[in-house]
């Protein structure tokens, strides 16, 4: 009776544990499991294959009319929350990892390394969030705010991560100009690309007769792939482009004719297809997250366990402050449900996106990369399994 994605992830983790126990008695078997898991490019699979389709499906399921009315709230929550969490988690993690009691000074952990961790763990995973809040009895406004903030903050988080990663790999100094240029190119360019493709894509869909529903599905698939390829080619934000594309089509997708009888664009067939694809890819993603535990088992120890617990507390608290400040400011102009900050904080699940970004760190970081990956995985497991499974209780207590 668990949510399907969480249930599948628990089964995948259990399978990983069984493999590790079996490998203790038969080391050759464990070596084969390591080889298979390491050969799978999780980062490429998520970022370039699964993420565009999942984000598009998520954008298609949001109430666009509420989203438009509440766009200032959602954008402020997404931007301030990510930037605040990146700085606070990065700074506190730096002091934590360099504390003499943990004896990790020999790893040579830099402040920039910790900021990279802060940037990859700051954005909530829209895939994980959307799969959970669909089961909650939230008001439509609160549900749209949580879903919209999750869809947009991952694009901002990726931009911040890429900026810091560029400074790490090139040795360049992080300046306001460099961040501004990358922000404009990635974010504004991605939003513009999604809007332009969405506009002409809608024209194409309307040109097709309504009975050719299979062709309408193929058109939406082609549009998502087109945005992803163009965004990758010209270094734009593919996630934001796909989200805007989905929101744009969603906004116009059920327009009626003058009598309110027939749909001018896509109907239930397209929605059902994307819902099925969303559920299928979600299941695959959470199974893969569960199986990735095999890769970090060798590096895990009691010191890392203590660090993981402290880091989880830091991430949750920074998330709470990061959403509370904008809500306090916006409450002068907007109405918020009681304990909205608590609900959005506890609904801030991390998932495959954070793991993919952690795996994207340079291999020459060595043990530092392994440590960041362990901390990332700990936060992902906690937010999905603990926060995800107790979210309904938090909502009911509001």
């Amino acid at each position: 009776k668990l949510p399907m994605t969480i249930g599948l992830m628990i089964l995948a983790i259990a399978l990983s544990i069984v493999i590790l126990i079996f490998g203790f008695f038969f080391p050759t078997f464990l070596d084969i499991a390591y080889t298979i898991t390491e050969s799978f490019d999780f980062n490429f699979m998520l970022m370039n294959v699964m993420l565009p389709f999942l984000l598009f499906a998520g954008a298609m399921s949001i109430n666009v009319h509420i989203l438009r009315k509440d766009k200032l709230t959602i954008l402020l929550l997404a931007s301030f929350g990510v930037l605040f969490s990146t700085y606070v988690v990065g700074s506190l993690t730096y002091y934590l990892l360099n504390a003499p009691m943990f004896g990790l000074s020999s790893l040579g952990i830099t402040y920039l390394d910790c900021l990279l961790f802060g940037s990859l763990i700051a954005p909530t995973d829209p895939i994980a969030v959307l799969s959970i809040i669909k089961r909650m009895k939230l008001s439509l406004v609160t549900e749209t705010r949580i879903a919209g903030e999750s869809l947009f903050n991952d694009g901002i988080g990726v931009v911040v991560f890429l900026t810091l990663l560029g400074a790490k790999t090139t040795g360049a100094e992080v300046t306001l100009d460099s961040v501004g240029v990358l922000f404009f190119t990635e974010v504004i360019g991605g939003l513009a690309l999604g809007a332009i493709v969405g506009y002409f894509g809608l024209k194409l869909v309307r040109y097709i007769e309504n009975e050719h529903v299979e062709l309408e599905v193929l058109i939406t698939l082609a549009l998502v792939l087109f945005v992803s390829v163009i965004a990758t080619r010209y270094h734009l934000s593919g996630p934001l482009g796909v989200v805007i594309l989905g929101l744009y089509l969603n906004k116009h997708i059920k327009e009626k004719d003058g009598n309110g009888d027939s749909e001018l664009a896509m109907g239930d067939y397209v929605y059902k297809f994307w819902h099925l694809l969303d559920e299928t890819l979600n299941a695959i993603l959470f199974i893969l997250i569960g199986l990735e535990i095999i890769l970090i088992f060798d590096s895990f120890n009691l010191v890392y366990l203590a660090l993981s617990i402290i880091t989880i507390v830091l991430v949750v608290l920074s998330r709470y402050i990061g959403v509370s400040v904008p809500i306090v400011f916006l409450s002068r102009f907007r109405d918020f449900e009681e304990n909205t900050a608590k609900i959005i904080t506890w609904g801030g699940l991390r998932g495959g996106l954070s793991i993919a970004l952690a795996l994207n760190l340079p291999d020459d970081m060595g043990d530092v990369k392994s440590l960041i990956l362990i901390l990332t995985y700990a936060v992902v497991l906690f937010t999905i399994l603990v926060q995800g499974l107790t979210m309904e209780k938090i909502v009911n207590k509001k």
Side-chain angles (χ1 to χ4, degrees):
K1 298 182 180 180
L2 296 173
M4 185 182 70
T5 50
I6 293 181
L8 288 172
M9 183 175 174
I10 292 175
L11 289 175
I13 293 174
L15 177 60
S16 295
I17 294 173
V18 170
I19 292 174
L20 291 171
I21 295 173
F22 195 71
F24 179 79
F25 298 100
F26 304 97
T28 304
F29 177 80
L30 188 58
D31 291 338
I32 295 173
Y34 273 120
T35 302
I36 294 174
T37 309
E38 289 177 345
S39 64
F40 182 81
D41 195 338
F42 182 87
N43 178 49
F44 178 85
M45 182 68 177
L46 176 62
M47 299 299 290
N48 298 296
V49 180
M50 300 176 69
L51 189 60
F53 294 108
L54 287 166
L55 290 177
F56 181 82
M60 292 278 285
S61 65
I62 286 184
N63 188 309
V64 184
H65 299 292
I66 295 179
L67 185 69
R68 289 183 65 192
K69 294 178 182 178
D70 232 5
K71 56 182 178 293
L72 177 61
T73 301
I74 292 170
L75 290 176
L76 188 57
L77 285 171
S79 57
F80 181 82
V82 169
L83 295 174
F84 180 84
S85 295
T86 296
Y87 175 74
V88 172
V89 172
S91 300
L92 294 179
T93 303
Y94 175 72
Y95 292 114
L96 176 66
L97 297 182
N98 284 280
M101 61 182 295
F102 293 110
L104 298 175
S105 57
S106 60
L107 295 180
I109 302 169
T110 66
Y111 184 56
L112 185 55
D113 295 335
C114 295
L115 284 178
L116 278 168
F117 170 70
S119 65
L120 67 87
I121 208 65
T124 59
D125 194 303
I127 302 154
V129 173
L130 290 171
S131 66
I132 298 299
I133 64 171
K134 290 175 183 176
R135 294 170 53 92
M136 304 295 104
K137 295 180 180 179
L138 295 168
S139 69
L140 195 56
V141 173
T142 302
E143 181 179 320
T144 303
R145 284 172 176 169
I146 296 175
E149 189 256 354
S150 298
L151 284 169
F152 281 100
N153 73 9
D154 71 307
I156 298 172
V158 169
V159 171
V160 175
F161 176 82
L162 291 177
T163 303
L164 296 173
L165 183 61
K168 174 72 176 179
T169 55
T170 63
E173 187 177 347
V174 179
T175 64
L176 186 61
D177 291 339
S178 63
V179 174
V181 171
L182 187 57
F183 180 86
F184 182 83
T185 303
E186 288 265 348
V187 177
I188 306 301
L191 295 175
L193 175 64
I196 293 171
V197 175
Y199 175 79
F200 288 104
L202 184 63
K203 294 285 187 183
L204 180 60
V205 168
R206 284 174 167 169
Y207 184 75
I208 304 299
E209 295 181 5
N210 287 335
E211 58 265 21
H212 299 297
V213 289
E214 295 86 356
L215 187 55
E216 293 172 356
V217 169
L218 293 176
I219 289 174
T220 57
L221 287 170
L223 291 175
V224 173
L225 290 171
F226 180 75
V227 169
S228 301
V229 171
I230 297 298
T232 303
R233 174 66 178 82
Y234 293 101
H235 306 288
L236 308 176
S237 177
L240 287 178
V242 171
V243 168
I244 292 298
L245 171 66
L247 292 175
Y248 196 92
L249 291 179
N250 186 6
K251 175 178 177 293
H252 298 281
I253 209 167
K254 285 190 173 180
E255 292 183 352
K256 306 289 184 177
D257 63 9
N259 299 321
D261 295 328
S262 61
E263 295 184 349
L264 297 176
M266 295 163 281
D268 290 337
Y269 188 92
V270 177
Y271 274 108
K272 290 177 181 178
F273 168 81
W274 280 102
H275 177 73
L276 175 61
L277 186 62
D278 182 40
E279 292 290 336
T280 304
L281 292 179
N282 260 306
I284 296 172
L285 174 61
F286 279 78
I287 290 173
L288 292 176
I289 292 175
L291 291 174
E292 287 287 314
I293 196 174
I294 296 176
L295 294 178
I296 67 171
F297 179 76
D298 273 350
S299 305
F300 200 75
N301 54 49
L302 291 178
V303 173
Y304 286 176
L305 176 61
L307 286 172
S308 298
I309 295 173
I310 299 173
T311 302
I312 289 170
V313 175
L314 293 178
V315 170
V316 174
L317 287 178
S318 66
R319 167 75 174 170
Y320 179 73
I321 298 173
V323 299
S324 295
V325 172
I327 287 176
V328 170
F329 172 74
L330 291 168
S331 60
R332 303 176 182 178
F333 319 101
R334 298 280 193 276
D335 292 327
F336 288 89
E337 287 187 45
E338 185 181 357
N339 293 331
T340 297
K342 185 194 298 184
I343 295 173
I344 295 179
T345 299
W346 209 245
L349 310 182
R350 276 72 173 182
L353 179 64
S354 295
I355 294 177
L357 293 177
L359 291 171
N360 200 38
L361 293 171
D363 291 332
D364 57 15
M365 291 178 64
D367 292 337
V368 176
K369 179 178 178 178
S370 298
L371 175 57
I372 290 177
L373 187 58
I374 288 174
L375 296 179
T376 302
Y377 205 93
V379 174
V380 169
L381 284 180
F382 178 84
T383 57
I384 291 178
L385 298 182
V386 178
Q387 293 181 200
L389 291 175
T390 58
M391 180 68 179
E392 192 168 0
K393 294 181 180 180
I394 297 295
V395 171
N396 292 336
K397 288 181 180 180
K398 69 180 191 300

